[in-house]
Amino acid sequence: MTITPLQPLLNDATIILQAPTQVWSDAAGRMGASPIHGIYHGDVRHVRSVATGVDGTELESIACATPTAQTAVFTDVLRGIDDDQADPKVRMDRERLVAAGSFHERIVVSSARDVSLSVRLTVTIAPDFAPLQQVKAGIAGADEWTWDGTRVRSATASFTVEAADAAISIEDAESAPGAGIRLRWQVDVPPRGRVELDWALAFEDATLVVGAPTSVADAVHVATSDSRVRRWLDRAAGDLAALRLSAPEHPDDAFYAAGAPWFFTLFGRDSIWAARLALALDPEIAASTLRVLGRLQGTKTDAATAEAPGKIPHELRSAALSLPNEGVHLPPLYYGTVDATPLWVCLLADARDAGLSDADLRDLLPNLRAALDWMIVHGDASGSGFIDYVDQTGHGLANQGWKDSGDSIQWQDGHLAEGPIALSEVQGYAYEAAMRGAELLDALDEQGGDDLRQWAADLRRRFRAAFWVETSEGRYPAIALDAHGAAVDSLSSNIGHLIGTGILDPDEERACAEVLISPTMSSGYGIRTLSTGAAGYWPLSYHGGSVWAHDTAIAVHGMLRAGLTAEAAVIARELVDSAEGFDYRVPELQSGDSRIPGGIPVPYPAACRPQAWSAAAAVVCAQALG
């Protein structure tokens, strides 16, 4: 029987991180049993497993704490070397700390016994060097490596091993992928005393295209009177700080990595939305994100990379991304996104509202003009009159909005829409970008504002004529227009992104808000990506019925701008309830199952966490709830 490789599940794993380094284990600190386990640096898993042992006893886990994004403490009792009384008197605490490019563990063995204990302790490290994309595809295997007594090397990456007062050796006879590196300590724990042992790893990868920024986040306090919102904000601020990255050529310009484990790099749409939603918490990152993406802005037409003049990129990686089980093969710098370019303009306008100087704005003027030109000249690839997309390679992203899975754009009866696709929310982003872009040009005494306003007015008129549908679930904008210009009639969360952009009038915005808080769209923990009334609805579908925190928060963000504060508060409260169910580290997405009294949100088991825009949702919810 052929076994199909499967993407690892993440919901039961424990993560600590400081981009571009992340560590995955189980709740007992054990590393190696689950396909996701290991120590990653950049796009490579350097260490597959770490096994800790104490001769003469099992390690019985009793506690796990993650006080910060970068730290974890695992506590075990060692009853095999204890006395015969009921109270455990010998324990071991492992304090782990990850920094950008390093991992440190302090092992503390403590005893309340009246006698000295002779303890032999080992840590066995299994090098791996598997590419992250192979781990995601479920096909990871250990790469070749060598060992010189302190450093482990593969073809492109390496790490050093340091341990105080320990013997370090290869576990097996030969330095081969099946071997491990063993650290051994022989210590005496004094009566009612303790011993501390330290070991550490330091990682290097010359191929990295992103790294730790030199700038430090200077977060602004966001006021809230709600204790649960404060807990979520505190956790979110720590996660956002841990997700900060920069390009090596400009280490002072930070941006948010999209999320762990798979998206530990620059994503145009994700980094922009995270910066927008978190603007009140971290206003500086908006400007630096704009600069980072502006330097990568498209200058030519290239079907292989989906590049076009003025287009903002989708993602940046060290090497090509290949996901054979999904039929996806992307170049290292890929431009297959239809929404990042107008969103870049919207973020620029938000940044100016938040204090970006006219001098900084003028520095970005060439990028602004190029982005606006892409919308007007290149964005309508099919001549439909709307900004649309189609993958021209056959191995790029079939869908290029934020719902980028292959089955995300579907009709109410469940069949998939045929491309080119013109997404409804992208027209809203483009309208807002044109209107705000005109304001920015006016502010700099530049020409072109009136032409942009006229283009936006024409887009708004065409949108109203083409996108509105009426089904058994009510009247609302369709998720998209298909290749034939037909309105794809499923009711989806995309309509929440239209609110506050200006493309809808106030009555239309209120009607959309009412639909979003109806039972078919609201799960009780946020807005579903697809209505329960759609034939293709499934609560564990990635984009066809699940709940995404950022997606719901964008609707809240728009409602606040549209003056729909009561509706915004209702939805924000649902997200806070969800955050509490996930111990305030909200995952990438969760199930769209309806809320059960006394229950908790059902996880989507392969959801990434932390995710930058999920963390940034806390800021918008705090604004909605006061």
Side-chain angles (χ1 to χ4, degrees), residues 528-579:
R528 295 184 178 96
T529 46
L530 186 66
S531 165
T532 58
Y537 166 77
W538 175 243
L540 289 174
S541 169
Y542 195 61
H543 289 131
S546 59
V547 171
W548 291 61
H550 90 279
D551 183 33
T552 301
I554 288 171
V556 174
H557 178 258
M559 290 175 187
L560 290 176
R561 292 189 298 163
L564 301 172
T565 55
E567 293 85 349
V570 168
I571 299 175
R573 183 64 63 192
E574 291 186 1
L575 279 183
V576 175
D577 292 343
S578 174

Side-chain angles (χ1 to χ4, degrees), residues 43 125 128 140 153 161 230 256 277 314 324 486 527 533 562 586 598 614:
D43 287 336
I125 305 159
D128 188 51
R153 288 187 174 90
V161 184
R230 171 49 53 195
Y256 293 132
L277 296 174
H314 173 57
I527 298 169
V586 177
S614 294

Side-chain angles (χ1 to χ4, degrees), residues 382 384 386 411 418 420 422 465-467 480-488:
S382 68
S384 66
F386 298 98
W411 291 75
E418 180 185 349
F467 273 85
L481 303 184
D482 71 1
H484 309 289
V488 182

Side-chain angles (χ1 to χ4, degrees), residues 149-173:
T150 59
R151 182 181 292 270
V152 187
R153 288 187 174 90
S154 75
T156 60
S158 67
F159 66 89
T160 56
V161 184
E162 297 179 2
D165 303 320
I168 307 177
S169 64
I170 289 286
E171 179 183 10
D172 297 334

